[in-house]
Amino acid sequence: MPNRLAGEASPYLLQHADNPVDWYPWGPEALERARSEDRPILLSIGYSACHWCHVMERESFENASIAALMNEHFVNVKVDREERPDLDQVYQLVVQLMGRGGGWPLTVFLTPDERPFFAGTYFPPVERHGMPGFPKVLQAVSEAYRDQRSQIDARATEMTEAITRVAVGEPEGDAAVSAALVERATTQLVARFDDIHGGFGHRPKFPCTAALDVLLRAGDSPRIRKTLGAMRAGGIWDHLGGGFHRYSTDERWLVPHFEKMLYDNAQLLRLYVDGWRALREPLYERTVREVAAYAAREMTSPEGAFYATQDADSEGHEGKFFVWTTEQVDAACGDDVQAARVAKLAFDVREAGNFEDSAASVLSTPIPLDQVAHALCVSLASIEEAFERARAKMFAARERRPKPFRDEKILASWNGLMTGALAQAGAALDDEPMLHAAVRALEFVERSLVVAETPTRARVLRHVKDGRVRGPGFLDDHAFVGDAALDVYEATGDPRWVRLARGLAESILARFQDPAGDGFFFSPDDGPATLVRAKDVYDHAVPSGASVSCRLLLRLGALVDPQYNEPAERAVARLAQAAAHNPLAMGVTASLIDRLVRGSVDVVVVGPRSHAATRALARAAQRPYVRNLVLAWADPTDPATLEACAVLWEGKRAGDEPMAYVCRGRTCSRPITNADELEKELIAER
C-alpha cells in the first residue's frame, strides 16, 4: 500500500512511495506527529540519480523488518535535496561536524523540534567494512532517546549551536582585493594540482570547474590542457552519447560514478568553450558541440527546458547501460570486423574488463587514433573511418538497452546554468541552434517559474514538473537565472533579458541580503522556516549562490547602474581572504577578486540588432577569451536597448554604419567597424 509520498511530485519521493516505511514528506504533518508523540525524526535526504540512495532503499527501506523498526520508533521523513536544498545544506553540516564526509543518502536523527543529535550517510543492512548495520543504529538511537534523554537534548543543543556558527557565520577577515590575493589563490590551486592526471587531488576526483576557471584566468595553459584532455579521454566522458558523468572514482578519470547531472554538463560546457576561446583546441570545440547535442537529445523537455538528472543505475546495476564487454562490441559491429578491432583497441575494451569485478569495460581513449593506426599497420584515414562506424553502431546498440531513469524536474537554478552556458557557446561558435535552445529554455523558465513581486522586482520559484510548480526559489535560483539572462542578452542583444536580470537582482537585494550588509542568505526572508537560515559562500556541486549573485550585480553595475556594484564589492571583500586560502571551495569568489582587480572589458556594439554587420561585431567580441567581458548592444533607434546599457551608452555616438567601442575603465577605443579588427583588439587584451 503506498505511503504518504504517493501524492508528491518529486520523482525521488515517488520512488519511495511503495516502501513499507511510513514515510512523510517534510512538512507540518510530520513535525506535529513528532511533537505530539514525542518521537525522534529520522530524516533521509537524497536524490533520484543517487546510486547509494538506491542501494540503501533496496537493502533497508524495502526490507519489511527494518521498515517495522523505523515505523515503531521514529517519524520517518524523506526529502529530495533538489527540491529542498536549504534543508540539505543545514543537515549536511551535522555529518561534517561529526568529522565525517557528507554526501547522499544523508541520514539524520532529530529531536521533535528539528535539532539534530546523530547523523551518517549510507548505512548497510548488516555490519560491513567497519560500518554498523542500520538495524543496530536504529535500535541504539531509539534506546538512547528513551533512556538518555538529557544527554540527547544536550547533544542536540550543542550540535545546533555549532551549525548556527558555521552556517550563519562567514569566513573571517575583510580584505582589500588585490592581485596578491589572486596570486595566492592560484598558488594554492597549483599546489593541489595532479600533474600526472590533471585535476585536483586524488580519488574520488571531481571536475572542480570553478577552480579550473581560476587557472584559466591566470593563463596556466599547460594545466588546463592536461585536465581538459584527460577528462575528455577518460571514462567520465560518455564516448558514445556525449556528456559527462558526475565524477571519477579513481585519480585517472577512468571509472565514473555514472549519473549525469544537468549542472555538471552546464559548467563543463562553459569551461570547454572558454578553453576553446583561449587555446583554439579543436577537441574542445567538438566537446562543446557534443555536450550541447547530448543535452538536446536526452535532457530537453518538449517545451525546451532542461531536465535535472539521469540515473547511474539501470536494470538494478550501476553503469550497466554504459559499460561494454569485448563480445558486446563484436555483436554491435556485426560483420564490420575492422570497426570492432579498432573500437576495442581505441576504447581500451579488454577481455578482463576494468569495471569492478566483471569482464565489462568503461570506455576511454587512452591512446590517440594515430597510435591505433600504427599498431594495426593501417592508414590513419582508414582507422578514423572505422572508428566512426564503430561509434555509430555501438551507440545504436546501446540505445536498445534499458535506459537509466531520468528525473524530469525542471529546476530553475540548473536551467540557468545550462541556459547561460549554451548562450555563451552559441555566441562563441556562432551556432544558431545553441542560441535558440538557450532562448527557448529561458523563455520557459520566465513563463513558468518567474513571478512579478513589484513593478521592478521578480521572484523565481524552485521547480516545475508535470505542470506542478513548487517554491519558493532560493538564492541560487535567482542568481543563476539572472546571470543566464545576461548571457542570453549578450548573445542576442534582446533588452528584455536585462530587465529580467535586473528584476531578479532587486529581489536578491530585498529578500536575501543580510540586513547587516554581510553577504547573502540562501533562503529568502519570507521562505519556509528551517533550523538555521544559512548563508551560501562555498562552491559545492554548483557554484555558491552568493558568489554568482555578486557576479550578477557587478555585470549589472557595468551595464545599467553603478549602485549594484557596492553590495557585491562589499561581499567579495568580506570573503576575499578565505577565497585566496581555499580557492577549491571558493573558486567563483576567487574569480570575482580577479574581476575587481582587473576591471571589466566593456564592448559596446552600436547599430541595429538586425543588421548583419552589427551581429558580426558582436560575434567577434565573443569569439576570443576575454576575462570579465561585458557586451552591450545599443541601437540608437530603439530606446529599450539604450536603457539596457545606460552606463556604457553614455558618451557614445552612432555612425553611418555599425561600430564597436572597446572600453577599459573610463577609457574607450576609437570606433571599430571591422569585425576582424575588433577580434584582434580583444585578443591583444590577454
Side-chain angles (χ1 to χ4, degrees):
M1 180 178 177
N3 55 44
R4 290 171 178 81
L5 301 183
E8 293 297 304
S10 159
Y12 175 65
L13 298 187
L14 290 173
Q15 286 170 358
H16 292 267
D18 292 317
N19 294 164
V21 178
D22 187 15
W23 289 117
Y24 287 78
W26 182 274
E29 185 182 3
L31 300 176
E32 178 54 36
R33 183 183 174 197
R35 286 190 291 268
S36 64
E37 298 181 11
D38 192 24
R39 282 195 185 206
I41 297 167
L42 192 165
L43 174 62
S44 177
I45 302 179
Y47 59 101
S48 66
C50 165
H51 169 67
W52 287 104
C53 299
H54 299 325
V55 172
M56 193 165 178
E57 179 186 18
R58 287 195 300 268
E59 293 178 340
S60 294
F61 302 149
E62 292 180 351
N63 182 299
S65 61
I66 294 177
L69 266 178
M70 295 170 66
N71 295 338
E72 179 181 358
H73 297 294
F74 302 94
V75 174
N76 304 293
V77 178
K78 184 56 91 166
V79 166
D80 182 342
R81 64 110 173 177
E82 294 163 3
E83 280 193 329
R84 292 298 304 270
D86 55 333
L87 293 170
D88 183 60
Q89 184 184 53
V90 169
Y91 290 115
Q92 285 286 348
L93 290 172
V94 183
V95 185
Q96 295 164 23
L97 289 167
M98 292 173 65
R100 305 171 190 166
W104 301 276
L106 178 65
T107 308
V108 190
F109 295 91
L110 316 176
T111 62
D113 58 357
E114 305 169 43
R115 294 177 300 142
F117 60 89
F118 182 72
T121 51
Y122 162 79
F123 289 104
V126 295
E127 187 172 349
R128 185 190 299 156
H129 305 308
M131 291 184 289
F134 194 45
K136 185 176 180 180
V137 171
L138 296 172
Q139 202 69 50
V141 170
S142 174
E143 290 173 1
Y145 188 81
R146 183 188 66 217
D147 301 333
Q148 303 170 39
R149 186 61 176 273
S150 60
Q151 292 97 313
I152 291 292
D153 282 336
R155 174 71 167 160
T157 298
E158 176 188 351
M159 193 67 70
T160 301
E161 290 173 350
I163 288 171
T164 302
R165 287 194 298 272
V166 173
V168 178
E170 290 181 337
E172 289 295 326
D174 287 295
V177 298
S178 66
L181 291 179
V182 178
E183 184 177 348
R184 185 181 304 161
T186 305
T187 301
Q188 292 283 347
L189 292 175
V190 168
R192 297 287 302 277
F193 192 81
D194 180 351
D195 286 308
I196 298 174
H197 304 293
F200 301 98
H202 301 290
R203 64 174 68 183
K205 184 170 281 184
F206 292 82
C208 299
T209 50
L212 289 167
D213 180 62
V214 176
L215 293 185
L216 185 60
R217 285 170 169 271
D220 194 340
S221 299
R223 290 185 173 86
I224 293 298
R225 288 184 186 276
K226 168 72 77 173
T227 305
L228 297 190
M231 287 194 296
R232 169 67 198 228
I236 193 172
W237 169 252
D238 181 352
H239 291 267
L240 299 182
F244 288 91
H245 298 292
R246 178 73 190 90
Y247 63 86
S248 175
T249 61
D250 57 77
E251 68 278 0
R252 296 182 295 147
W253 304 105
L254 176 59
V255 179
H257 208 26
F258 284 94
E259 66 259 42
K260 286 183 176 180
M261 317 297 288
L262 181 65
Y263 58 74
D264 286 318
N265 283 283
Q267 292 174 89
L268 284 162
L269 191 156
R270 188 183 286 262
L271 179 65
Y272 273 87
V273 78
D274 281 343
W276 176 81
R277 283 166 158 160
L279 304 172
R280 286 298 196 267
E281 170 58 58
L283 178 66
Y284 304 164
E285 178 184 351
R286 192 157 72 247
T287 303
V288 168
R289 294 190 184 281
E290 290 176 358
V291 172
Y294 156 73
R297 185 185 70 248
E298 299 287 349
M299 301 296 282
T300 302
S301 73
E303 301 86 1
F306 298 106
Y307 297 133
T309 65
Q310 285 181 306
D311 212 327
D313 297 14
S314 59
E315 302 180 80
H317 298 279
E318 183 182 15
K320 185 172 182 179
F321 180 77
F322 298 100
V323 298
W324 291 80
T325 63
T326 54
E327 293 80 9
Q328 288 170 331
V329 175
D330 289 335
C333 292
D335 58 3
D336 193 339
V337 176
Q338 186 187 33
R341 286 184 69 201
V342 170
K344 285 183 284 189
L345 189 55
F347 285 135
D348 198 26
V349 180
R350 306 180 184 184
E351 293 288 345
N354 61 23
F355 180 56
E356 296 180 340
D357 298 322
S358 70
S361 293
V362 179
L363 303 186
S364 64
T365 52
I367 60 174
L369 289 181
D370 59 351
Q371 293 185 28
V372 176
H374 179 75
L376 295 179
C377 300
V378 180
S379 72
L380 177 58
S382 178
I383 290 296
E384 289 173 339
E385 291 173 3
F387 182 68
E388 289 307 316
R389 293 199 308 273
R391 281 189 67 216
K393 291 173 182 289
M394 291 171 68
F395 177 77
R398 197 180 77 173
E399 284 292 282
R400 294 191 289 271
R401 297 175 179 179
K403 284 195 171 186
F405 174 78
R406 180 174 64 192
D407 187 329
E408 296 185 353
K409 285 198 306 294
I410 294 168
L411 289 149
S413 60
W414 299 4
N415 268 260
L417 290 174
M418 181 56 84
T419 295
L422 280 171
Q424 287 281 315
L429 302 177
D430 200 12
D431 188 303
E432 284 300 323
M434 285 190 205
L435 289 177
H436 177 70
V439 171
R440 193 165 171 243
L442 190 56
E443 286 177 338
F444 177 87
V445 169
E446 183 183 40
R447 183 171 67 249
S448 303
L449 292 171
V450 175
V451 293
E453 188 171 49
T454 72
T456 59
R457 213 160 67 208
R459 301 288 293 274
V460 182
L461 302 175
R462 180 65 182 171
H463 75 86
V464 60
K465 184 178 185 299
D466 298 330
R468 298 174 65 181
V469 177
R470 295 294 175 95
F474 298 98
L475 181 62
D476 59 349
D477 296 299
H478 289 74
F480 296 1
V481 173
D483 203 46
L486 292 185
D487 286 326
V488 174
Y489 163 70
E490 291 189 347
T492 65
D494 189 339
R496 67 182 280 201
W497 302 121
V498 177
R499 291 194 296 273
L500 174 60
R502 196 169 184 178
L504 298 179
E506 290 293 339
S507 279
I508 289 171
L509 295 173
R511 294 295 189 182
F512 295 90
Q513 190 175 23
D514 186 335
D518 292 332
F520 303 92
F521 291 104
F522 185 70
S523 300
D525 57 4
D526 59 349
T530 54
L531 182 70
V532 175
R533 190 180 178 210
K535 289 187 176 177
D536 179 34
V537 300
Y538 297 105
D539 302 324
H540 296 287
V542 298
S544 146
S547 60
V548 178
S549 294
C550 290
R551 186 168 68 200
L552 168 62
L553 292 169
L554 290 171
R555 295 175 77 182
L556 285 171
L559 272 174
V560 295
D561 191 338
Q563 291 186 12
Y564 287 115
N565 291 325
E566 193 275 334
E569 291 172 356
R570 188 170 65 243
V572 173
R574 176 75 171 155
L575 302 172
Q577 289 280 13
H581 284 288
N582 189 12
L584 267 179
M586 303 179 74
V588 179
T589 302
S591 294
L592 290 175
I593 299 170
D594 179 68
R595 186 185 194 100
L596 292 176
V597 169
R598 294 179 191 268
S600 60
V601 177
D602 307 324
V603 177
V604 187
V605 176
V606 183
R609 190 156 54 104
S610 60
H611 198 297
T614 306
R615 295 198 304 273
L617 288 167
R619 292 292 168 265
Q622 293 171 301
R623 271 195 298 273
Y625 178 67
V626 181
R627 303 169 189 86
N628 314 318
L629 176 73
V630 175
L631 175 62
W633 298 61
D635 179 355
T637 67
D638 183 352
T641 69
L642 305 184
E643 183 182 353
C645 61
V647 172
L648 293 180
W649 170 245
E650 186 179 1
K652 309 297 187 301
R653 64 173 181 82
D656 295 332
E657 58 183 323
M659 60 181 60
Y661 297 87
V662 178
C663 305
R664 302 167 181 86
R666 295 183 179 275
T667 303
C668 296
S669 70
R670 59 177 177 76
I672 300 171
T673 57
N674 180 275
D676 291 337
E677 184 182 344
L678 175 60
E679 186 169 355
K680 289 176 184 176
E681 172 83 9
L682 291 169
I683 289 172
E685 173 66 25
R686 297 180 195 170

